[in-house]
Amino acid sequence: MAPAGETRIWTTVDFDQDGKQHDWLRLPFSTDQSAYGVIPIPITCIRNGEGPTALLIAGNHGDEYEGQVVLSKLARQVEPRDVRGRILILPALNYPAVVAGRRLSPLDEGNLNRLFPGEANGTPTQMIAHYVSSVLLSMADIVVDLHSGGRSLSYLSCCLIRAGKTGAETARLMELMKVFGAPIGSISDGTGGGGATTLSAVAQALGVPTLTTELGGGGTFSSAGEAVASQGLYRIFKHMGILPNAETKSPPPVRLMQVTGRGAFTYAPIHGIFEPAVELGDSVEAGQSAGFLFPLEGPHRAPEEIRFAQSGLVACRRAPALAAPGDCLFKLVTDVGAN
């Protein structure tokens, strides 16, 4: 899935130069107020000689904060003398969405992680996706895309992979996921969410191993999620020889889980205020009450009880109490191999 066309985004960073460089990716964007303007997307390149390249991304969705903080700290803390290879850090990939605190870009309402591989001459969000697909992924030996639940969802900390095209590819991804060491490791067949239009899908098509995370959410900041990401990244760096002398703790056991069909998702059928009956991390049974939606019309209309369609572990929950028809209230995961 190689993107077509030559990118219009540019930077002064020399990706082959040793040392630490902080700069912007410059995305051309002409407006009434700035005819020759550019959108500045922060980037840091840390390089020291030959070795693997790690591409680290946060702010793919602008309202997901743990990864943005982790990568901002890492860009300042890691020194070139300690590196063997190269680390590329983009803590605010969808910069317009990051500044607005939104999942989608305010420039074009684009959901960056649903627009890969992008277009060279498309909307601003499509141009960002195209640059990642056509320029950055060609340099990468591993990608870590740090997500959280954003405004609308709260998540248990987890690391996600897509099943590989071969058994060997899947085994390699499983190894990296266990090294990263999030409490839950989730395996997807790639058919849910954005399907073929996510960063992980395009990276996989280009043969680049990719780890994705969920680290918290609800528009808040989780220190526990930040710690999972920070420790996981340093373990990956040491495992790949990028930071061979990094001091790391052994990864904790990873509970391997998966989303089992559409029944894993519970949706709101009406407009209402949601009173949940369970919490993140709870184990639930099929038919169990998930909570009640209280209609906005008033008390003359009885609340509607919501029930789970299948059994599993509550991996994410809607954060805002107000829900509309079609809003996801819960997502369940089940242990790999469980019937």
Side-chain angles (χ1 to χ4, degrees):
M1 191 186 294
E6 184 174 349
T7 182
R8 294 172 56 208
I9 295 175
W10 61 280
T11 180
T12 64
V13 169
D14 180 349
F15 294 110
D16 296 322
Q17 175 181 305
D18 283 352
K20 182 186 292 190
Q21 302 169 75
H22 299 290
D23 192 50
W24 298 339
L25 304 180
R26 292 162 174 83
L27 166 64
F29 188 64
S30 181
T31 67
D32 290 338
Q33 291 77 32
S34 185
Y36 299 153
V38 296
I39 303 298
I41 301 170
I43 184 170
T44 296
C45 176
I46 308 172
R47 186 181 186 276
N48 184 20
E50 298 300 317
T53 292
L55 173 60
L56 311 180
I57 288 172
N60 192 329
H61 294 134
D63 60 351
E64 301 172 3
Y65 299 113
E66 291 80 5
Q68 295 180 45
V69 171
V70 167
L71 295 192
S72 294
K73 289 181 179 180
L74 192 145
R76 294 192 304 274
Q77 292 169 351
V78 173
E79 295 300 332
R81 63 177 178 270
D82 299 320
V83 173
R84 301 295 179 269
R86 180 171 53 189
I87 304 174
L88 302 176
I89 304 170
L90 292 99
L93 180 61
N94 193 351
Y95 185 76
V98 167
V99 171
R102 293 184 54 193
R103 179 177 178 84
L104 309 182
S105 172
L107 302 183
D108 54 21
E109 296 301 313
N111 181 340
L112 178 55
N113 209 36
R114 301 296 184 271
L115 290 173
F116 284 90
E119 296 184 24
N121 295 297
T123 66
T125 309
Q126 289 172 328
M127 291 169 67
I128 296 170
H130 179 269
Y131 184 85
V132 174
S133 303
S134 64
V135 177
L136 297 180
L137 287 179
S138 66
M139 293 186 273
D141 296 292
I142 186 171
V143 177
V144 183
D145 187 18
L146 298 173
H147 287 260
S148 302
R151 292 185 194 178
S152 69
L153 298 172
S154 295
Y155 253 98
L156 294 178
S157 291
C158 59
C159 182
L160 304 92
I161 61 170
R162 293 166 59 99
K165 296 184 289 291
T166 66
E169 186 177 323
T170 300
R172 171 63 170 153
L173 288 164
M174 292 277 287
E175 176 189 31
L176 291 169
M177 184 169 64
K178 290 177 180 178
V179 169
F180 188 86
I184 293 174
S186 183
I187 306 167
S188 167
D189 61 6
T191 59
T197 57
T198 61
L199 171 56
S200 61
V202 171
Q204 183 185 60
L206 296 173
V208 185
T210 302
L211 303 179
T212 306
T213 69
E214 300 290 356
L215 301 167
T220 64
F221 181 83
S222 166
S223 296
E226 179 202 7
V228 167
S230 180
Q231 294 167 19
L233 286 173
Y234 277 99
R235 281 193 289 265
I236 289 289
F237 293 154
K238 186 163 188 175
H239 179 75
M240 295 188 66
I242 297 172
L243 286 178
N245 298 316
E247 295 184 5
T248 61
K249 299 178 181 178
S250 297
V254 176
R255 186 176 179 182
L256 298 179
M257 309 195 80
Q258 61 189 348
V259 174
T260 310
R262 292 189 174 92
F265 296 87
T266 303
Y267 293 97
I270 62 169
H271 286 277
I273 300 169
F274 185 54
E275 179 188 34
V278 299
E279 300 293 336
L280 280 177
D282 285 351
S283 293
V284 301
E285 299 294 331
Q288 180 178 333
S289 178
F292 290 86
L293 272 167
F294 287 79
L296 304 180
E297 293 84 350
H300 66 281
R301 185 174 170 189
E304 184 155 343
E305 187 172 18
I306 312 299
R307 295 186 180 276
F308 291 107
Q310 67 179 44
S311 303
L313 181 80
V314 177
C316 85
R317 194 190 86 178
R318 180 168 174 79
L322 188 63
D327 284 340
C328 180
L329 303 176
F330 292 103
K331 183 182 84 170
L332 305 180
V333 291
T334 57
D335 290 296
V336 171
N339 294 323

